[in-house]
Amino acid sequence: MKKKFAKVLAVNVLVASQLLLAACSSDSEKASGEATKFDPESHVDVNWTAILHTASPPTDVVLKKIEEATNSTINFNWVPDASKDERITAALASGELSDIVSLTMLTNSSVRQSLKSGMFWDVSEYLDDYDNLKLISEDIRTAASIDGKLYGVPFQKDLARSGLILRKDWLDNLGLKTPTTLDELYEVAKAFTEDDPDGNGKDDTTGFGDRSELRYGSFKTLSSYFGTPNGWAVDESGKFIPEFETQAYKDTMNYSRKLFENGYIAKDFAVTAKTDQQQKFAQGKTGIYTGMVDIKNLKVMAEGIQDEMELIPVNKIAGPDGEHHIWSENSGVGGLMAFPKSEVKNEEELKRLLQFINDLIDKEVFMLMTGGIEGTHYELDENGAFTVLDNALWQKDTQPFSSSRPSEITHNLIDADPSKQLANELIKENAEFAVLNPTVPLDSATANERGTELEKIIIDATFKYIMGEIDEKAFDAEVEKWRKSGGDDMAKEYEEAYKKSQK
């Protein structure tokens, strides 16, 4: 593949204009369409638009090692997670994209429209030609497909990663046990707010830290505890019922509203970004965090601030029915690494990029993207347990790469940190009671065209209800607005697609 872009010396967080202009290759060089014979060992220049979940992009220390292991030169164009929707949408609209685009918002209507439009390569028939890619399960391939076509390599995730992280030292200070029910969880949130859990004599702590999204904030997880269906429920007749029309969803809103009214959840949650939520937890301002996968990051962030911090992951909070439920993120699919036809001109280029993705799944590269350089960033003890040697250095050189690993399930890593290892084990256990979204493998024209716009109606109404700005009658009016604006059409289209899939 012939590309014209400079060797990357430093990777900067791109602004919107950079995303639209990044990675333009020489059209004159590609215009001829001359196909070169696919050589999996050949050097490849890769321009990759990826999502950044940390405050800063990584240095090139580990990047150089990844390039050596994959025989590549990689130009990462980092998109901050907080602004990924608008920036990726803008890039899709412009049609000027990178060789690889990480599309992690598969329910976003602009993304789905772009995928269905033929903008990206269908890689279904190629995966089995690669030793790592062929191991992607049929369930994950199906969940990541649209109308039977797979427009990229799926990011492989655990089936259900959600759960809670609590300050164990605060529980111990207050003589509280780890909560196992929603009522007990509420009492912990109350005590963490009112009973001076850090013992500093000040009224400066809050139970739940939270952020400005329903899905990855506390609401979706609490909702699954209450028994709310994941996105949609399907009754015996095949009728699709949206989650927010169930009593369990409203019970979750009332629970969250009570937390908010009493100050047991951060008052500014509706305008708080993920990194700010994490910082508040690390600074000892909050004691409950949603997302077990972040337990080690939180401990690292707290070093030098809350060195006494002890954390415990919790994955089982029984709901009103006494059972355990947890929502599944897209049935184990974290998005797609998609290949735009505008940049990847022919099959030979596609095959070389697929080889590159395949190589990223190798144990050597997985460890680089997870731990960094052995002996510098991490070490393995005689039992193979993983320990970070210098957290500040690891954060700077390595951590940002972890969210771009093509697979988090191919290799098992034993963590020397007991709390992190426990979180890993509980995430695996979640699969036993994970609640799937029945629409993941289905298609709806209305959802593709206006799904994000319609979803915003419900998100805004839910936030307003939790904060006491509207009552149940007003919330129901917003649901009716959703139905008339296309929600009913979406439900019917899902029903039709579901019936076809059952034949």
Side-chain angles (χ1 to χ4, degrees):
M1 289 166 38
K2 299 179 180 178
K3 302 276 182 172
K4 285 186 178 178
F5 46 72
K7 170 79 175 176
V8 178
L9 299 177
V11 187
N12 297 313
V13 176
L14 58 96
V15 294
S17 61
Q18 287 176 310
L19 176 62
L20 302 181
L21 297 175
C24 292
S25 56
S26 172
D27 289 337
S28 61
E29 288 183 287
K30 283 188 172 183
S32 65
E34 293 180 2
T36 56
K37 186 177 180 180
F38 168 56
D39 178 4
E41 302 300 323
S42 64
H43 183 86
V44 61
D45 290 324
V46 180
N47 194 58
W48 186 352
T49 297
I51 309 302
L52 183 70
H53 290 269
T54 56
S56 303
T59 65
D60 64 353
V61 173
V62 174
L63 175 63
K64 288 179 179 178
K65 294 292 185 179
I66 295 172
E67 290 177 331
E68 289 174 13
T70 57
N71 194 19
S72 65
T73 299
I74 311 170
N75 177 22
F76 274 106
N77 301 297
W78 295 106
V79 181
D81 180 67
S83 58
K84 66 178 181 294
D85 284 66
E86 61 187 78
R87 294 189 178 183
I88 294 295
T89 298
L92 292 173
S94 74
E96 296 192 32
L97 301 160
S98 305
D99 300 321
I100 303 172
V101 182
S102 293
L103 299 174
T104 61
M105 332 92 73
L106 294 185
T107 59
N108 180 285
S109 52
S110 295
V111 170
R112 291 188 71 85
Q113 280 184 300
S114 296
L115 291 170
K116 286 176 65 70
S117 73
M119 183 183 294
F120 297 92
W121 284 86
D122 177 1
V123 302
S124 307
E125 64 181 274
Y126 300 101
L127 297 188
D128 289 339
D129 295 334
Y130 302 86
D131 60 343
N132 290 321
L133 299 182
K134 71 181 181 181
L135 300 178
I136 299 174
S137 71
E138 286 302 322
D139 287 342
I140 287 180
R141 296 188 196 197
T142 298
S145 297
I146 298 178
D147 288 341
K149 295 185 177 181
L150 188 57
Y151 296 108
V153 177
F155 281 106
Q156 299 174 75
K157 306 281 188 180
D158 284 294
L159 194 61
R161 301 187 300 164
S162 197
L164 304 175
I165 299 171
L166 282 76
R167 285 289 297 261
K168 184 181 183 301
D169 52 326
W170 286 12
L171 290 173
D172 293 343
N173 290 346
L174 298 175
L176 297 172
K177 66 176 184 178
T178 303
T180 59
T181 68
L182 283 162
D183 288 342
E184 290 176 359
L185 179 61
Y186 184 88
E187 291 303 315
V188 168
K190 177 181 179 181
F192 278 7
T193 306
E194 297 180 347
D195 297 344
D196 191 22
D198 57 3
N200 68 356
K202 300 178 181 179
D203 182 17
D204 59 356
T205 59
T206 302
F208 271 92
D210 209 355
R211 62 181 186 259
S212 58
E213 53 182 336
L214 294 183
R215 187 174 177 85
Y216 295 106
S218 69
F219 187 85
K220 184 75 172 176
T221 294
L222 291 173
S223 181
S224 61
Y225 294 158
F226 270 98
T228 304
N230 187 359
W232 296 78
V234 185
D235 67 16
E236 295 180 355
S237 67
K239 181 181 179 181
F240 274 61
I241 303 159
E243 60 180 359
F244 44 82
E245 288 192 0
T246 65
Q247 185 58 48
Y249 190 95
K250 288 191 173 181
D251 290 343
T252 310
M253 289 201 302
N254 288 325
Y255 184 93
S256 299
R257 184 169 182 161
K258 188 178 177 183
L259 287 170
F260 182 82
E261 289 174 344
N262 289 301
Y264 305 155
I265 194 168
K267 286 290 186 180
D268 60 351
F269 81 94
V271 292
T272 299
K274 177 182 179 179
T275 51
D276 293 328
Q277 177 197 13
Q278 292 175 325
Q279 287 291 346
K280 288 180 180 180
F281 189 93
Q283 292 163 8
K285 296 179 180 179
T286 60
I288 307 172
Y289 180 91
T290 308
M292 291 191 296
V293 72
D294 288 333
I295 192 167
K296 195 162 189 174
N297 295 343
L298 294 173
K299 293 179 74 172
V300 170
M301 293 171 72
E303 289 182 350
I305 306 172
Q306 295 275 305
D307 289 330
E308 74 281 7
M309 175 186 281
E310 292 182 59
L311 304 181
I312 184 170
V314 178
N315 74 324
K316 289 182 176 179
I317 298 292
D321 61 359
E323 301 294 329
H324 298 124
H325 316 278
I326 195 66
W327 67 284
S328 170
E329 300 176 76
N330 298 318
S331 301
V333 178
L336 295 173
M337 288 160 280
F339 310 95
K341 293 178 180 177
S342 60
E343 299 302 312
V344 184
K345 295 292 189 180
N346 54 54
E347 191 176 53
E348 286 67 32
E349 291 187 5
L350 175 65
K351 287 181 176 180
R352 184 61 186 90
L353 287 170
L354 287 171
Q355 182 66 52
F356 167 76
I357 298 294
N358 182 83
D359 293 344
L360 292 180
I361 303 176
D362 284 345
K363 184 66 175 286
E364 176 190 358
V365 187
F366 171 84
M367 290 305 300
L368 285 169
M369 299 180 79
T370 302
I373 301 170
E374 187 171 5
T376 300
H377 300 97
Y378 75 93
E379 65 180 5
L380 299 174
D381 67 16
E382 63 276 8
N383 298 315
F386 171 90
T387 301
V388 171
L389 296 173
D390 184 330
N391 281 317
L393 189 64
W394 175 79
Q395 282 182 297
K396 184 175 68 171
D397 295 340
T398 307
Q399 185 185 12
F401 291 115
S402 63
S403 60
S404 293
R405 293 173 298 177
S407 176
E408 296 179 7
I409 63 175
T410 302
H411 306 290
N412 289 321
L413 190 63
I414 301 172
D415 204 291
D417 181 333
S419 61
K420 174 59 175 172
Q421 182 58 25
L422 178 57
N424 293 342
E425 292 169 3
L426 296 184
I427 287 171
K428 298 294 184 185
E429 185 181 54
N430 276 349
E432 298 174 11
F433 44 87
V435 181
L436 305 184
N437 183 338
T439 68
V440 168
L442 304 178
D443 196 44
S444 157
T446 302
N448 295 340
E449 295 168 6
R450 287 176 284 145
T452 304
E453 170 192 338
L454 291 170
E455 183 182 36
K456 192 174 186 304
I457 296 173
I458 302 302
I459 291 174
D460 290 347
T462 302
F463 276 145
K464 288 178 180 178
Y465 185 91
I466 291 171
M467 293 186 291
E469 296 177 8
I470 61 174
D471 59 14
E472 185 175 354
K473 184 177 180 180
F475 178 82
D476 291 341
E478 290 302 295
V479 171
E480 187 61 26
K481 176 182 176 182
W482 173 89
R483 294 172 64 96
K484 292 181 178 178
S485 300
D488 282 343
D489 293 333
M490 200 186 315
K492 291 177 181 176
E493 290 161 3
Y494 279 138
E495 289 167 20
E496 292 172 1
Y498 179 74
K499 288 176 181 177
K500 288 181 181 178
S501 71
Q502 299 301 300
K503 293 180 179 179

Tab-separated table of all heavy atoms in Angstrom, residues 19-20 85-97 110-111 114 119-120:
chain	number	residue	atom	x	y	z
A	19	LEU	N	-9.542	15.368	12.307
A	19	LEU	CA	-10.172	14.076	12.022
A	19	LEU	C	-10.634	14.016	10.574
A	19	LEU	O	-10.507	12.991	9.905
A	19	LEU	CB	-11.362	13.865	12.962
A	19	LEU	CG	-12.189	12.613	12.723
A	19	LEU	CD1	-11.325	11.371	12.927
A	19	LEU	CD2	-13.390	12.581	13.632
A	20	LEU	N	-11.153	15.144	10.106
A	20	LEU	CA	-11.684	15.148	8.746
A	20	LEU	C	-10.563	15.119	7.697
A	20	LEU	O	-10.762	14.618	6.589
A	20	LEU	CB	-12.550	16.395	8.521
A	20	LEU	CG	-13.744	16.551	9.474
A	20	LEU	CD1	-14.527	17.799	9.122
A	20	LEU	CD2	-14.635	15.335	9.399
A	85	ASP	N	-18.944	10.662	19.376
A	85	ASP	CA	-20.146	10.679	18.537
A	85	ASP	C	-20.085	11.788	17.496
A	85	ASP	O	-20.273	11.546	16.299
A	85	ASP	CB	-21.402	10.836	19.400
A	85	ASP	CG	-21.776	9.553	20.117
A	85	ASP	OD1	-20.998	9.125	21.000
A	85	ASP	OD2	-22.843	8.984	19.796
A	86	GLU	N	-19.831	13.000	17.933
A	86	GLU	CA	-19.840	14.120	16.993
A	86	GLU	C	-18.678	14.059	16.011
A	86	GLU	O	-18.836	14.375	14.820
A	86	GLU	CB	-19.826	15.445	17.758
A	86	GLU	CG	-18.613	15.656	18.632
A	86	GLU	CD	-18.725	16.903	19.490
A	86	GLU	OE1	-19.429	16.868	20.505
A	86	GLU	OE2	-18.093	17.916	19.128
A	87	ARG	N	-17.517	13.620	16.472
A	87	ARG	CA	-16.347	13.631	15.599
A	87	ARG	C	-16.363	12.486	14.592
A	87	ARG	O	-16.010	12.674	13.428
A	87	ARG	CB	-15.070	13.607	16.436
A	87	ARG	CG	-14.912	14.881	17.262
A	87	ARG	CD	-13.575	14.980	17.933
A	87	ARG	NE	-13.469	16.225	18.669
A	87	ARG	CZ	-12.375	16.625	19.310
A	87	ARG	NH1	-11.290	15.878	19.279
A	87	ARG	NH2	-12.366	17.761	19.957
A	88	ILE	N	-16.762	11.312	15.040
A	88	ILE	CA	-16.866	10.197	14.098
A	88	ILE	C	-17.986	10.455	13.103
A	88	ILE	O	-17.845	10.196	11.902
A	88	ILE	CB	-17.109	8.864	14.840
A	88	ILE	CG1	-15.886	8.501	15.700
A	88	ILE	CG2	-17.404	7.750	13.856
A	88	ILE	CD1	-14.617	8.216	14.925
A	89	THR	N	-19.100	10.998	13.581
A	89	THR	CA	-20.213	11.321	12.694
A	89	THR	C	-19.782	12.329	11.641
A	89	THR	O	-20.132	12.214	10.462
A	89	THR	CB	-21.398	11.881	13.503
A	89	THR	OG1	-21.853	10.878	14.423
A	89	THR	CG2	-22.547	12.271	12.591
A	90	ALA	N	-19.006	13.331	12.070
A	90	ALA	CA	-18.520	14.338	11.120
A	90	ALA	C	-17.602	13.712	10.080
A	90	ALA	O	-17.671	14.047	8.882
A	90	ALA	CB	-17.784	15.449	11.873
A	91	ALA	N	-16.764	12.793	10.504
A	91	ALA	CA	-15.856	12.128	9.570
A	91	ALA	C	-16.618	11.270	8.575
A	91	ALA	O	-16.301	11.232	7.386
A	91	ALA	CB	-14.837	11.281	10.336
A	92	LEU	N	-17.633	10.573	9.062
A	92	LEU	CA	-18.447	9.742	8.167
A	92	LEU	C	-19.168	10.602	7.139
A	92	LEU	O	-19.287	10.233	5.972
A	92	LEU	CB	-19.456	8.935	8.997
A	92	LEU	CG	-18.876	7.850	9.911
A	92	LEU	CD1	-19.976	7.270	10.786
A	92	LEU	CD2	-18.212	6.754	9.092
A	93	ALA	N	-19.656	11.745	7.580
A	93	ALA	CA	-20.368	12.643	6.666
A	93	ALA	C	-19.444	13.204	5.600
A	93	ALA	O	-19.832	13.382	4.439
A	93	ALA	CB	-21.011	13.778	7.460
A	94	SER	N	-18.196	13.470	5.976
A	94	SER	CA	-17.243	14.039	5.024
A	94	SER	C	-16.734	12.993	4.041
A	94	SER	O	-16.332	13.319	2.934
A	94	SER	CB	-16.044	14.634	5.771
A	94	SER	OG	-15.206	13.608	6.265
A	95	GLY	N	-16.735	11.735	4.481
A	95	GLY	CA	-16.225	10.670	3.621
A	95	GLY	C	-14.722	10.584	3.602
A	95	GLY	O	-14.149	9.756	2.880
A	96	GLU	N	-14.039	11.430	4.372
A	96	GLU	CA	-12.584	11.395	4.433
A	96	GLU	C	-12.189	10.676	5.713
A	96	GLU	O	-12.312	11.221	6.810
A	96	GLU	CB	-12.016	12.811	4.385
A	96	GLU	CG	-12.324	13.508	3.068
A	96	GLU	CD	-11.520	14.787	2.921
A	96	GLU	OE1	-10.387	14.825	3.427
A	96	GLU	OE2	-12.032	15.725	2.310
A	97	LEU	N	-11.713	9.450	5.571
A	97	LEU	CA	-11.502	8.570	6.709
A	97	LEU	C	-10.104	7.968	6.699
A	97	LEU	O	-9.317	8.215	5.792
A	97	LEU	CB	-12.564	7.463	6.689
A	97	LEU	CG	-14.013	7.953	6.739
A	97	LEU	CD1	-14.949	6.871	6.242
A	97	LEU	CD2	-14.374	8.359	8.163
A	110	SER	N	-26.108	7.352	12.470
A	110	SER	CA	-25.192	7.754	11.396
A	110	SER	C	-24.207	6.636	11.080
A	110	SER	O	-23.881	6.393	9.914
A	110	SER	CB	-24.429	9.020	11.796
A	110	SER	OG	-25.305	10.114	11.926
A	111	VAL	N	-23.739	5.961	12.112
A	111	VAL	CA	-22.809	4.850	11.917
A	111	VAL	C	-23.493	3.719	11.159
A	111	VAL	O	-22.948	3.177	10.191
A	111	VAL	CB	-22.278	4.345	13.276
A	111	VAL	CG1	-21.497	3.040	13.092
A	111	VAL	CG2	-21.389	5.396	13.922
A	114	SER	N	-24.022	4.545	7.535
A	114	SER	CA	-22.765	4.491	6.785
A	114	SER	C	-22.364	3.050	6.491
A	114	SER	O	-21.912	2.731	5.393
A	114	SER	CB	-21.657	5.191	7.581
A	114	SER	OG	-21.945	6.561	7.735
A	119	MET	N	-20.094	1.859	2.358
A	119	MET	CA	-18.888	2.671	2.521
A	119	MET	C	-17.692	1.832	2.983
A	119	MET	O	-16.541	2.167	2.697
A	119	MET	CB	-19.167	3.788	3.540
A	119	MET	CG	-18.019	4.763	3.757
A	119	MET	SD	-18.396	6.011	5.034
A	119	MET	CE	-19.712	6.928	4.242
A	120	PHE	N	-17.981	0.705	3.668
A	120	PHE	CA	-16.922	-0.112	4.250
A	120	PHE	C	-16.917	-1.515	3.649
A	120	PHE	O	-17.938	-2.016	3.185
A	120	PHE	CB	-17.098	-0.201	5.768
A	120	PHE	CG	-16.986	1.120	6.480
A	120	PHE	CD1	-18.113	1.893	6.735
A	120	PHE	CD2	-15.756	1.601	6.883
A	120	PHE	CE1	-18.014	3.116	7.381
A	120	PHE	CE2	-15.635	2.816	7.532
A	120	PHE	CZ	-16.769	3.580	7.776
